[in-house]
Amino acid sequence: MSEQARPYAVLMEALDDIGERTDTTLRCIDHEPEVWESRMQTTCECLSKAGVLDNLERRHAEDRLGESIYVRFPVQTRSVLTVAHTLMERGLFTEQALRDKMRSVRARLEEE
């Protein structure tokens, strides 16, 4: 990852959906993981095993990005942000592709 990482607009827009971080202590991570959190951890493990994004590299990026450009997001969301940020930075997909996918998922969830 580059030294001067820039925030991706599509990720910053998600802050409106999930709400800004209000708890600045780490006690907010002491909870039973939600289903999406467990699935995200599994995705991270798969990306690491496939050689796409090493877990240690992701954790370092999560610390760096989570305490800088994505500091306003809840702690639990940082792995999602870091993975999306890193994969876009590497050119695996674009902001528009992610925005389109997010729109499609929202529409599907609203139908249920």
Side-chain angles (χ1 to χ4, degrees), residues 20-72:
E20 193 158 339
R21 177 182 179 183
T22 56
D23 188 349
T24 58
T25 68
L26 287 182
R27 72 171 177 229
C28 60
I29 63 173
D30 185 29
H31 70 286
E32 188 68 31
E34 294 185 38
V35 173
W36 73 265
E37 291 173 285
S38 297
R39 289 179 179 164
M40 185 63 212
Q41 185 58 42
T42 301
T43 300
C44 290
E45 293 296 327
C46 291
L47 290 170
S48 183
K49 184 165 177 66
V52 175
L53 180 58
D54 178 72
N55 275 328
L56 185 58
E57 178 186 2
R58 178 187 50 82
R59 288 185 189 120
H60 287 304
E62 195 172 313
D63 289 342
R64 190 179 82 253
L65 295 171
E67 290 304 324
S68 59
I69 60 178
Y70 299 122
V71 70
R72 294 171 44 211

